[in-house]
Amino acid sequence: MENDVCCDVLIIGSGIAGLSAAIEAKRTAERVLVIEKLPAPGGNSLISDGGIGVVGSDLQAKHGIRDSVDLLVADMQKAGEHKNDGDLVRMVAEHSNQAYEWTKKLGVGYLDRVDFFGGHSVPRCLTPTNRSGRDIVRVLHGHAGKIGVDMMFNMEVTDIVFEDDRALKVIAHQKGKSLTYTIKQSLVIASGGFGSDKEMIEKYDTRFAKLDSTNLPSAKGDMLRIMDKLGAQLIDMEEIQCGPWASPDENGFGIGPLFADYIALPYGILIDPEKGTRFVNERADRKIVTEAMLGMPYALAVADRAMVDDCGWDLSKLLNKGIVRTFDDVDAIAETYKMDKETLRETIDVYNKRFNDKKDDAYKKDLEGLSPLETPPFYVMKTVPKVHHTMGGIKIDTHARVIKEDGHHFKNIRAAGECAGGVHGGSRLGSMAIMDCLVMGRIAGGTL
Ligand SMILES: Cc1cc2nc3c(=O)[nH]c(=O)nc-3n(C[C@H](O)[C@H](O)[C@H](O)COP(=O)(O)OP(=O)(O)OC[C@H]3O[C@@H](n4cnc5c(N)ncnc54)[C@H](O)[C@@H]3O)c2cc1C
């Protein structure tokens, strides 16, 4: 080895989970080091929308939204098909407001709005001022630097040396150079998910092997492979989430989700272009909507002017790029996407009539607080599922300690964020991933 560096706490990954852990660790540890394989901090956290699901926030109170920890726990477990670890879910839900307040105190600003995402019972999502995870990463990274957390970039961890269930050293590579880091106290793994790891996606869910991903190309499962080899339990690896609101007309996450995820799915409808009909409860969680879309070339996400105006998001970029198109009437939509005009008209009529008839929606969608689709122009976007989040990963307990195959935990290794499994079970709710990173990241960085 060309070099050997000593630190008290070593953190692998500089996303929101890793940075939260680093800040907490620095309260008690002298030398805290974050190792990041990319040239800059943030990972997927940086390119995310930064939306956080919070129970009992000042903004929920201001907007008159009644909520409770129990309700969020129930929503997360329902979406997760009760595969979630109930203690972890409660830990995240109970500490969500505290974590939000922590980010505010450090300097993150939030928009004065509370958004609804499929699968939640009430609006909970708070959005940073620039609608980007960059807002949170920038503040956490800046603060970590200020309090003396060291960070190494372009440095990839390739192995961990263990003895007696304790991580002793981490081996990393930078530009072909091998370095060894000796860990005096603890190791935190915050290496993110594997949403761009084609090999792993194919291994765990062949249905998604050919789908595009919303993740950075660097979102690979290398650290999971290393931890698996060293005897950590990996759980729920087959639980891979697709975002059913991405545009096939752009690569990766793009800008389409601002319309499809924030407006059309919560307030409008989805149409199967081959039949001209609805096919799912558009407000259901992502897993249900994705599964209903598999096999279609794409679905059409439709909203009207009133919905777009009410939501108040600026769609000019999406309209200029042709990701979202507007139509003066339903026939024009049918013509453009080659659907039978009468069928499409009837689909929308039947949907709108439910608001007067107060009859059950065919897909059991709760229409409370929604309105008919009737105010032109109509806004339409082609939407397809893209691999978005990997719920599975390293098994942890509520102290974020990594659990081994034999059920005991390693002595000084914790994990948090998307690399850890258990919080979200079979499907994670929108805006709960970053909250998971904040809460479990802070716990992982706490005293070991
Ligand atoms: C486009 C997009 C939008 C999203 N929007 C939202 C949202 O609005 N709300 C929400 O709750 N969730 C959202 N999510 C999900 C959420 O952003 C992620 O789950 C979360 O940010 C993951 O954070 P993390 O800290 O666990 O991992 P990351 O932020 O991915 O950080 C992990 C870091 O570890 C580094 N790393 C990995 N392996 C190694 C190694 N061997 N050596 C050194 N470094 C390594 C990576 O390079 C990366 O920088 C979104 C995801 C995407 C992709």
Side-chain angles (χ1 to χ4, degrees), residues 13 17 36-37 42-45 49 51 157 191 253 389 418 431 433-434:
E36 168 57 57
K37 68 180 175 182
N44 269 340
S45 302
D49 284 336
V157 171
S191 53
F253 190 60
H389 190 88
E418 201 173 327
S431 77
I434 293 180

Side-chain angles (χ1 to χ4, degrees), residues 123-381:
R124 296 188 174 109
C125 177
L126 309 184
T127 305
T129 314
N130 298 301
R131 208 179 65 82
S132 171
R134 183 181 294 272
D135 286 15
I136 305 176
V137 169
R138 187 178 40 77
V139 165
L140 297 186
H141 178 236
H143 185 73
K146 231 186 272 166
I147 60 176
V149 170
D150 292 320
M151 298 195 207
M152 301 291 299
F153 295 104
N154 289 312
M155 170 84 70
E156 179 159 4
V157 171
T158 50
D159 211 349
I160 301 170
V161 179
F162 279 86
E163 197 180 285
D164 188 23
D165 285 344
R166 179 174 285 280
L168 296 182
K169 290 172 193 289
V170 153
I171 316 293
H173 283 84
Q174 191 180 45
K175 294 182 187 145
K177 213 164 99 180
S178 174
L179 294 109
T180 307
Y181 292 90
T182 299
I183 301 162
K184 289 214 272 192
Q185 290 178 20
S186 57
L187 171 67
V188 177
I189 297 161
S191 53
F194 59 92
S196 286
D197 198 317
K198 287 271 175 213
E199 194 187 307
M200 272 181 134
I201 300 288
E202 178 150 27
K203 174 174 172 188
Y204 291 110
D205 197 331
T206 48
R207 294 174 305 165
F208 303 153
K210 296 215 158 48
L211 299 186
D212 189 6
S213 171
T214 64
N215 288 203
L216 286 179
S218 51
K220 297 273 168 68
D222 312 349
M223 281 312 304
L224 297 183
R225 290 185 181 93
I226 292 172
M227 291 307 292
D228 185 31
K229 189 184 76 184
L230 297 172
Q233 262 190 59
L234 299 188
I235 56 166
D236 297 339
M237 293 296 285
E238 67 291 350
E239 302 296 352
I240 295 166
Q241 176 177 88
C242 295
W245 27 243
S247 166
D249 299 325
E250 54 184 350
N251 292 326
F253 190 60
I255 53 179
L258 177 61
F259 171 71
D261 195 20
Y262 282 77
I263 305 175
L265 268 70
Y267 303 106
I269 60 172
L270 280 171
I271 297 285
D272 174 348
E274 281 171 346
K275 299 192 178 125
T277 53
R278 285 177 63 222
F279 57 92
V280 73
N281 171 2
E282 294 85 353
R283 284 166 82 92
D285 93 274
R286 294 165 177 177
K287 185 173 195 164
I288 293 171
V289 180
T290 293
E291 283 177 1
M293 280 167 73
L294 288 176
M296 288 180 195
Y298 56 84
L300 293 172
V302 187
D304 71 1
R305 199 194 69 215
M307 295 163 193
V308 169
D309 288 352
D310 272 359
C311 288
W313 293 110
D314 176 7
L315 297 184
S316 49
K317 256 195 204 161
L318 291 83
L319 291 164
N320 289 341
K321 287 200 164 178
I323 302 289
V324 173
R325 299 175 64 180
T326 54
F327 297 89
D328 289 334
D329 54 47
V330 173
D331 283 1
I333 304 175
E335 223 160 80
T336 302
Y337 296 100
K338 303 192 178 7
M339 288 177 284
D340 180 59
K341 286 182 187 167
E342 230 167 85
T343 311
L344 186 62
R345 255 187 261 135
E346 195 189 329
T347 297
I348 293 177
D349 282 351
V350 167
Y351 179 71
N352 288 346
K353 272 199 190 127
R354 305 241 184 255
F355 290 89
N356 294 330
D357 301 351
K358 303 249 183 296
K359 275 204 195 125
D360 261 7
D361 176 76
Y363 298 97
K364 305 225 173 331
K365 170 156 134 174
D366 181 1
L367 297 176
E368 182 70 35
L370 303 186
S371 46
L373 192 84
E374 59 189 6
T375 318
F378 298 102
Y379 291 69
V380 181
M381 178 182 132

